[in-house]
């Protein structure tokens, strides 16, 4: 079986052979007069043989050249080689390490601008804490705002009348001289000093009440709490402020019993300390039924306190 190229070559041989045969016949006819006479059958066969041989040789050379060119085209791939070589060159160029650049000189580190330095909190000593606490309590207690009253004792009235410490004399010498003079006074003079001291006390109480009412009730209560705290610390000896607007404190059953026993007059001949001890022993000796009236009185006092507390005007 012939391939497609073989069949095409055979077709070409036939066509070329026929052409050569016709050209040979033409040449024989032209040169028949000059050539010696050869039988016609022999001449025709020779012509056909030569034509077919030439055509076969030409077709063979053509097919050989065609196959050679196909082999060269199929085997040789110069373009592919070039492309692979170019790719290899590119890979080599990409794999090459870049030349190390010279490192730029490092700039000096500029310190970052920060805000104000943080304050170092130092531990406050205990004495400083106490001083600050006392100062705060004194401000709440209204010690400096409280008005100064007149001397409410005969001794103080006598010292005030004799003026201050004279020049050239110390306070100790002055007070010792005043004591000697006060002791040498007559009873009439001492009575006059006592009467003046009582009058001063009345004036002082009225002035104190007027000053207290200028503050709200809550401020006076806070002042009294601060004064009690200062007394526990031993920093003041002033009494609490008597606010007439504030309701009286609650009465306990024992306080009610003590008040009744004091008003009865049965214990007037007993010293105060012994009187308080006797009242305590009497309270402990009472039974529950005997104590019941005092408990009821304490409940009524609670109602009184609530009403008076609610009647207070709100602070401005």
């Amino acid at each position: 079986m012939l391939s497609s190229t073989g069949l095409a070559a055979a077709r070409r041989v036939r066509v070329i052979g026929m052409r050569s045969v016709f050209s040979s016949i033409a040449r024989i006819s032209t040169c028949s007069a000059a050539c010696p006479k050869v039988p016609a059958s022999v001449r025709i066969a020779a012509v056909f043989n030569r034509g077919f041989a030439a055509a076969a040789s030409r077709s063979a050379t053509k097919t050989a050249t065609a196959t050679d060119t196909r082999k060269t085209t199929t085997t040789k791939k110069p373009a592919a080689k070039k492309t692979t070589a170019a790719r290899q060159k590119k890979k080599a160029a990409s794999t090459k390490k870049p030349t190390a650049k010279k490192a730029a000189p490092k700039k000096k580190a500029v310190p970052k601008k920060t805000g104000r330095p943080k304050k170092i909190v130092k531990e406050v000593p205990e004495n400083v804490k106490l001083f600050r606490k006392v100062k705060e309590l004194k401000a709440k207690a209204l010690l400096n705002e409280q008005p100064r009253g007149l001397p409410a004792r005969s001794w103080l009235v006598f010292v005030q009348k004799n003026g201050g410490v004279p020049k050239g004399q110390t306070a100790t010498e002055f007070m010792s001289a005043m004591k000697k003079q006060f002791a040498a006074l007559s009873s009439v003079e001492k009575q006059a000093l006592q009467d003046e001291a009582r009058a001063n006390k009345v004036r002082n109480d009225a002035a104190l009440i007027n000053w207290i009412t200028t503050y709200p009730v809550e401020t006076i209560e806070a002042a009294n709490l601060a004064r009690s705290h200062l007394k526990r610390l031993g920093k003041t000896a002033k009494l609490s402020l008597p606010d007439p607007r504030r309701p009286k404190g609650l009465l306990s059953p024992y306080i009610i019993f003590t008040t009744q026993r004091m008003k009865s007059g049965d214990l007037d001949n007993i010293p105060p300390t012994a009187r308080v001890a006797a009242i305590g022993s009497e309270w402990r000796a009472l039974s529950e039924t005997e104590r019941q009236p005092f408990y009821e009185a304490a409940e009524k006092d609670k109602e009184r306190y609530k009403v008076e507390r609610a009647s207070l005007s709100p602070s401005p």
Side-chain angles (χ1 to χ4, degrees):
M1 294 296 291
L2 295 175
S3 62
S4 60
T5 55
L7 293 174
R11 284 196 298 272
R12 288 178 185 176
V13 168
R14 290 194 192 104
V15 173
I16 293 169
M18 292 299 292
R19 288 179 182 175
S20 61
V21 169
F22 287 118
S23 63
S24 299
I25 292 170
R27 283 197 301 275
I28 291 169
S29 62
T30 53
C31 65
S32 59
C35 293
K37 291 183 178 179
V38 180
S41 60
V42 175
R43 289 197 301 273
I44 291 168
V47 169
F48 273 103
N49 288 332
R50 286 197 298 272
F52 278 112
S57 64
R58 284 195 296 273
S59 63
T61 55
K62 286 181 179 180
T63 53
T65 56
T67 54
D68 291 337
T69 53
R70 286 180 182 176
K71 286 181 180 179
T72 54
T73 54
T74 53
T75 56
K76 293 181 180 180
K77 294 181 180 179
K81 288 182 180 179
K82 288 181 180 180
T83 54
T84 53
R87 288 176 183 175
Q88 289 177 357
K89 286 182 180 180
K90 286 182 180 179
K91 286 182 180 180
S94 62
T95 53
K96 283 183 180 179
K97 293 182 179 180
T99 55
K101 294 182 180 180
K102 291 182 179 180
K106 292 182 179 180
K107 294 182 180 180
K108 293 182 178 180
V110 180
K112 292 182 179 180
K113 292 182 179 180
T114 56
R116 294 180 178 178
K118 294 182 179 180
K119 294 181 179 179
I120 300 171
V121 180
K122 295 181 180 180
E123 188 177 357
V124 182
E126 291 297 329
N127 57 348
V128 177
K129 289 182 181 179
L130 180 61
F131 174 77
R132 292 176 180 175
K133 184 66 176 178
V134 170
K135 186 177 179 181
E136 182 181 356
L137 289 172
K138 284 182 177 180
K140 288 183 179 180
L142 305 175
L143 296 177
N144 296 328
E145 287 79 4
Q146 183 174 349
R148 293 183 179 180
L150 299 172
R153 291 170 59 188
S154 58
W155 160 249
L156 295 176
V157 173
F158 176 73
V159 172
Q160 185 182 21
K161 286 185 174 181
N162 285 277
V165 180
K167 292 182 179 179
Q169 192 177 8
T170 62
T172 305
E173 294 174 353
F174 174 74
M175 293 304 293
S176 62
M178 288 294 101
K179 285 180 181 180
K180 290 178 181 179
Q181 293 179 13
F182 182 77
L185 292 175
S186 63
S187 59
V188 177
E189 291 175 341
K190 288 182 179 180
Q191 187 63 38
L193 293 174
Q194 288 178 0
D195 294 339
E196 187 175 353
R198 291 192 190 97
N200 290 339
K201 187 178 183 305
V202 173
R203 296 190 190 96
N204 293 339
D205 292 342
L208 182 62
I209 295 299
N210 292 332
W211 172 76
I212 288 172
T213 53
T214 58
Y215 290 94
V217 178
E218 293 81 1
T219 305
I220 300 302
E221 288 181 354
N224 288 328
L225 290 174
R227 291 189 179 202
S228 63
H229 195 173
L230 289 170
K231 285 179 183 178
R232 290 194 298 270
L233 295 174
K235 299 299 179 181
T236 185
K238 286 194 175 182
L239 301 175
S240 60
L241 300 172
D243 191 355
R245 301 166 298 176
R246 185 176 181 275
K248 294 180 180 180
L250 292 172
L251 298 176
S252 64
Y254 178 73
I255 295 296
I256 296 172
F257 174 74
T258 304
T259 305
Q260 287 185 3
R261 292 298 294 154
M262 288 288 188
K263 290 181 179 179
S264 65
D266 298 337
L267 306 173
D268 291 343
N269 299 324
I270 304 173
T273 307
R275 195 181 306 169
V276 172
I279 292 172
S281 61
E282 289 179 4
W283 174 259
R284 287 189 294 272
L286 293 176
S287 63
E288 289 297 327
T289 55
E290 292 174 341
R291 291 182 183 181
Q292 190 63 33
F294 302 102
Y295 286 116
E296 292 176 358
E299 290 295 329
K300 289 181 180 179
D301 191 68
K302 280 184 182 179
E303 297 296 330
R304 185 268 316 165
Y305 182 80
K306 289 179 181 179
V307 172
E308 291 181 357
R309 190 73 182 176
S311 63
L312 289 176
S313 60
S315 61

